[in-house]
Amino acid sequence: MKEYWTSLASLLGVLAFFQSLLQVIFPPELRFAFLKLFNRIFNVFSTYCYFDITEIDGVNTNELYNAVQLYLSSSVSISGSRLSLTRALNSSAITFGLSNNDCIYDSFNGVTVLWEHVVAPRQTQTFSWRPMPEEKRGFTLRIRKKDKSLILDLYLDFIMEKANDIRRKNQDRLLYTNSRGGSLDSRGHPWESVPFKHPSTFETLAIDPDKKMEIMEDLISFANGQSFYQKTGRAWKRGYLLYGPPGTGKSSMIAAMANYLGYDIYDLELTEVHNNSELRKLLMKTSSKSIIVIEDIDCSISLSNRKKNNGGSGSGSGSRNYYDPEMRCGGSGSGSNCEDGNNNSITLSGLLNFTDGLWSCCGSERIFVFTTNHIEKLDPALLRSGRMDMHIFMNFCSYPALLILLKNYLLYEESDLEEEILKELELVVDKAEMTPADISEVLIKNKRNKEKAVRELLEALKIKAERNVKNGGNRQKKNSDEIEDEEEEEEQEKRALESPEEEEEEGSDDFDEEDTCKKGGIQEEEKIK
């Protein structure tokens, strides 16, 4: 054993002697050139090529590194044996990643590639304005040389798109509001945001299933239609108009859209916007993959139908209202010239350009949603295709929607109820004309006693249906009276148009009579004299 250690020590001594001799005979420059030549020879005969993707490119963060890390997390979480777990800020999910110096295989278009996560200590740094991390991180991609031109560009683009989808799904959705109008905060943003946690989904939304499926298919077609919109030369946006009685689920529909597509919501309050210029600034600061909402658009500012307003245009100043830009800006006709900044001077033209003008194309993949309880009050220019592409009527609760509510609140399937009760519900629900909000309130009150909840709901539907039947005749009478009132108003407007001319004629006749009287009095005085 002693002889073994003696021979080993002598061998190490010989190696150390030859190492020092090589360093003296072969300088570092020569050794570096030899290694470089060896690498070139190895690369010539090698069938692979390598690409390094570092975490920091100079002084800037490499976006491709973060994208690769997110992309590999979708496959590493299933097949990886050693994983690193991370959770980013404003993220609702945990991201899996490769651990230090670990490898994973991936395939794209039938081609297999190898990813390796390389982590090495960084050399001691001198003084720097921006300290660098202690470790040097990066990914190495190994591809066969024959596949380089086939998949490299397409593969990297695919990784970037996939990473964006993963980032959007993991990140908490936000609800924005313009509480400051168009003014900017200290960071230069006109929007304030809070996390969006609305639980509404299309599965729990109480509307007709056929209509629900139509809306979902339209949303998916829009989200996947980038090439179609580019090919047809249209801006990548779509407009939805939700109209119907209050309590029919218009806000829940918007939340279900956002949760279905993973989009943020921008709740635009028009009363906080002072003019069209601020409206454009707000539009420019919205992000892609978002839903821009204007709720109760007929109540926020006056955007009434111009056909109705033009009926009394000849009656002078009485036909104008406060929302006319000329009335509010001293007759200048420009909303931006108003001295009082608190007055809302958004015009119909400004809102139309907001939804379908040149400024509406400053982003991509955005959805405009307007809600109203009275669609007849809106101008036809706001409702046409290109601005509001799909009109969705949110009606009273129907029988299919009622079954969804029973499942949501009472966990009742259609097979859990008796046939007689189902038939009674089906017969009376359309006649009752109750909104999903009213029916939900009845179910919430008795959610602990399911049978009692169904009984009270059936009684409430019957009472409302009988009341509607009794009021049916009165409604017809009211409708006929309203028609007569409208005809009388039209006649009064016509008379008002004709009245100024008649007054002028009467005034001229009175003037002539006064003149003749004066002339007659003068003649009588002359005769007396």
Side-chain angles (χ1 to χ4, degrees):
M1 188 68 182
K2 185 176 180 181
E3 296 177 355
Y4 173 77
W5 287 109
T6 304
S7 60
L8 179 62
S10 60
L11 179 62
L12 293 175
V14 172
L15 292 176
F17 173 75
F18 276 106
Q19 182 181 5
S20 59
L21 183 63
L22 288 175
Q23 290 180 355
V24 174
I25 299 176
F26 299 100
E29 293 79 4
L30 184 60
R31 294 199 304 270
F32 178 76
F34 177 77
L35 291 176
K36 188 175 181 181
L37 178 61
F38 177 78
N39 288 331
R40 286 185 178 181
I41 296 174
F42 177 78
N43 291 331
V44 169
F45 293 98
S46 176
T47 59
Y48 296 98
C49 57
Y50 299 84
F51 299 91
D52 294 329
I53 302 174
T54 58
E55 182 181 11
I56 298 176
D57 184 14
V59 294
N60 298 321
T61 302
N62 191 354
E63 294 184 2
L64 185 58
Y65 174 85
N66 297 328
V68 172
Q69 193 173 27
L70 283 175
Y71 167 73
L72 294 179
S73 67
S74 60
S75 56
V76 170
S77 60
I78 300 175
S79 60
S81 58
R82 186 185 181 112
L83 310 173
S84 63
L85 306 179
T86 57
R87 181 169 179 173
L89 184 65
N90 295 330
S91 177
S92 59
I94 296 176
T95 302
F96 299 86
L98 283 174
S99 60
N100 297 347
N101 302 318
D102 200 359
C103 301
I104 186 175
Y105 286 93
D106 187 31
S107 60
F108 179 76
N109 290 342
V111 178
T112 301
V113 300
L114 176 67
W115 286 99
E116 182 181 2
H117 191 206
V118 181
V119 180
R122 193 180 297 274
Q123 296 180 356
T124 305
Q125 303 179 37
T126 58
F127 176 77
S128 175
W129 292 105
R130 183 182 178 183
M132 305 295 287
E134 295 181 357
E135 295 180 336
K136 185 178 180 181
R137 299 174 178 269
F139 286 100
T140 299
L141 173 63
R142 190 186 73 177
I143 303 176
R144 292 183 179 273
K145 291 182 178 180
K146 63 178 182 179
D147 301 328
K148 176 181 176 181
S149 60
L150 295 177
I151 71 165
L152 184 59
D153 294 337
L154 296 176
Y155 185 47
L156 295 179
D157 291 340
F158 172 75
I159 289 175
M160 294 296 292
E161 293 178 1
K162 188 70 175 180
N164 291 331
D165 294 338
I166 297 173
R167 188 182 293 110
R168 188 176 69 253
K169 291 179 181 178
N170 294 341
Q171 187 175 4
D172 289 338
R173 283 177 291 279
L174 299 177
L175 175 62
Y176 294 87
T177 181
N178 58 315
S179 60
R180 296 181 303 272
S183 59
L184 305 179
D185 60 3
S186 58
R187 297 175 298 171
H189 299 298
W191 297 93
E192 294 180 356
S193 63
V194 294
F196 180 71
K197 300 292 185 180
H198 201 292
S200 177
T201 61
F202 278 107
E203 184 178 357
T204 60
L205 196 62
I207 61 173
D208 186 76
D210 294 335
K211 182 186 296 184
K212 184 189 303 185
M213 186 59 62
E214 181 184 358
I215 297 170
M216 294 171 64
E217 291 177 353
D218 189 77
L219 290 172
I220 289 297
S221 176
F222 166 77
N224 298 331
Q226 181 179 9
S227 60
F228 169 78
Y229 282 90
Q230 291 179 352
K231 181 177 64 176
T232 55
R234 296 187 57 178
W236 194 9
K237 64 181 183 62
R238 192 157 180 81
Y240 294 87
L241 176 68
L242 308 181
Y243 66 99
T248 52
K250 292 185 283 293
S251 299
S252 298
M253 171 67 78
I254 297 172
M257 288 181 175
N259 290 328
Y260 186 63
L261 296 177
Y263 287 3
D264 294 333
I265 295 180
Y266 290 84
D267 187 12
L268 179 59
E269 182 60 43
L270 290 180
T271 56
E272 293 290 335
V273 185
H274 299 151
N275 50 52
N276 296 335
S277 177
E278 289 186 359
L279 190 63
R280 289 194 295 268
K281 292 178 182 178
L282 288 170
L283 179 65
M284 292 172 60
K285 291 296 182 177
T286 57
S287 62
S288 300
K289 298 181 181 295
S290 61
I291 300 177
I292 302 173
V293 180
I294 302 179
E295 293 193 278
D296 297 324
I297 189 173
D298 58 308
C299 300
S300 53
I301 61 175
S302 180
L303 296 173
S304 57
N305 195 331
R306 288 175 293 179
K307 293 182 178 179
K308 294 182 179 180
N309 294 337
N310 290 338
S313 60
S315 58
S317 60
S319 63
R320 293 183 178 181
N321 56 19
Y322 177 74
Y323 295 98
D324 189 351
E326 295 182 359
M327 293 293 294
R328 300 181 61 184
C329 301
S332 63
S334 175
S336 60
N337 295 332
C338 295
E339 295 180 358
D340 188 1
N342 295 326
N343 290 336
N344 191 311
S345 59
I346 297 177
T347 62
L348 177 61
S349 175
L351 188 61
L352 296 180
N353 291 329
F354 175 81
T355 57
D356 193 32
L358 293 175
W359 289 99
S360 66
C361 307
C362 62
S364 62
E365 199 172 351
R366 289 186 301 193
I367 295 176
F368 293 87
V369 179
F370 292 173
T371 68
T372 180
N373 297 332
H374 305 282
I375 190 175
E376 67 278 359
K377 292 184 179 181
L378 301 181
D379 194 276
L382 192 64
L383 305 178
R384 72 166 178 81
S385 299
R387 295 189 177 107
M388 296 294 106
D389 303 290
M390 191 173 184
H391 296 186
I392 303 173
F393 177 51
M394 308 296 291
N395 201 354
F396 295 105
C397 188
S398 61
Y399 178 69
L402 178 61
L403 295 178
I404 296 175
L405 292 176
L406 292 175
K407 181 179 178 180
N408 293 341
Y409 292 96
L410 305 180
L411 300 178
Y412 266 154
E413 297 289 345
E414 187 175 2
S415 58
D416 297 334
L417 296 173
E418 298 179 1
E419 294 184 1
E420 295 180 358
I421 296 178
L422 291 174
K423 289 181 181 179
E424 291 181 359
L425 291 173
E426 187 175 4
L427 290 174
V428 76
V429 65
D430 292 332
K431 298 178 182 178
E433 294 184 353
M434 291 182 66
T435 63
D438 295 334
I439 294 177
S440 300
E441 186 62 27
V442 177
L443 298 177
I444 290 174
K445 290 180 180 179
N446 304 288
K447 60 183 178 180
R448 296 181 180 179
N449 192 340
K450 299 180 180 180
E451 296 180 356
K452 183 180 178 181
V454 175
R455 287 197 306 268
E456 289 195 3
L457 176 60
L458 186 58
E459 292 177 2
L461 291 172
K462 289 180 179 179
I463 293 172
K464 188 68 183 298
E466 292 176 358
R467 190 180 302 169
N468 292 339
V469 172
K470 291 180 181 179
N471 296 333
N474 297 330
R475 289 179 181 177
Q476 293 179 357
K477 293 180 179 179
K478 289 181 180 179
N479 291 334
S480 61
D481 294 338
E482 290 176 357
I483 293 173
E484 292 179 357
D485 294 339
E486 291 179 358
E487 292 178 354
E488 290 180 0
E489 290 179 358
E490 291 179 358
E491 291 180 359
Q492 290 178 0
E493 290 178 356
K494 292 180 181 179
R495 292 174 184 174
L497 293 173
E498 297 174 356
S499 59
E501 298 178 356
E502 295 178 355
E503 291 178 357
E504 290 178 359
E505 293 178 357
E506 291 177 357
S508 61
D509 294 339
D510 295 338
F511 180 76
D512 294 337
E513 291 177 357
E514 292 178 359
D515 291 342
T516 53
C517 292
K518 289 180 181 179
K519 290 180 181 179
I522 294 171
Q523 291 176 357
E524 290 179 357
E525 290 178 359
E526 290 178 353
K527 289 180 180 179
I528 294 171
K529 291 180 180 180

